Amino acid sequence: AETHPYLLKNKKITTTDSSLKGVETISFPVHKNGVLSHFSIEHSISHAHDAELIRLVKTGPPWKVLRGNKQRCRVSLSF
């Protein structure tokens, strides 16, 4: 899967954790109306990275459910 350009362009860590590198992975359900909820951290670099990836997903382009009422999505981003 490709990383959405929005995530790459807008990621920023401004805490002391910014020196930590790796891949952060979260998953979450997307509801039919596009609402995101119940973020689950699957691979964490730090709490700051967790918060940044969740912020990016929430403020980024809208999510759409392709079939059914809800789908679980997973997003990974290299820092």
Side-chain angles (χ1 to χ4, degrees):
E2 279 187 38
T3 302
H4 194 282
Y6 174 86
L7 298 178
L8 295 172
K9 182 180 175 189
N10 293 286
K11 69 180 178 181
K12 58 182 178 275
I13 297 289
T14 57
T15 67
T16 55
D17 292 338
S18 63
S19 63
L20 300 174
K21 303 295 180 203
V23 176
E24 178 84 18
T25 304
I26 62 171
S27 65
F28 50 91
V30 178
H31 299 272
K32 189 176 183 178
N33 59 2
V35 172
L36 312 178
S37 65
H38 300 92
F39 290 92
S40 176
I41 307 301
E42 295 190 7
H43 186 268
S44 179
I45 300 170
S46 74
H47 291 300
H49 289 81
D50 299 348
E52 176 60 6
L53 186 49
I54 290 170
R55 181 193 74 79
L56 285 168
V57 167
K58 284 181 171 180
T59 60
W63 291 76
K64 295 178 185 164
V65 174
L66 298 178
R67 62 186 181 276
N69 290 326
K70 161 168 100 168
Q71 287 182 311
R72 187 140 195 98
C73 295
R74 177 179 289 136
V75 175
S76 295
L77 183 60
S78 295
F79 283 91

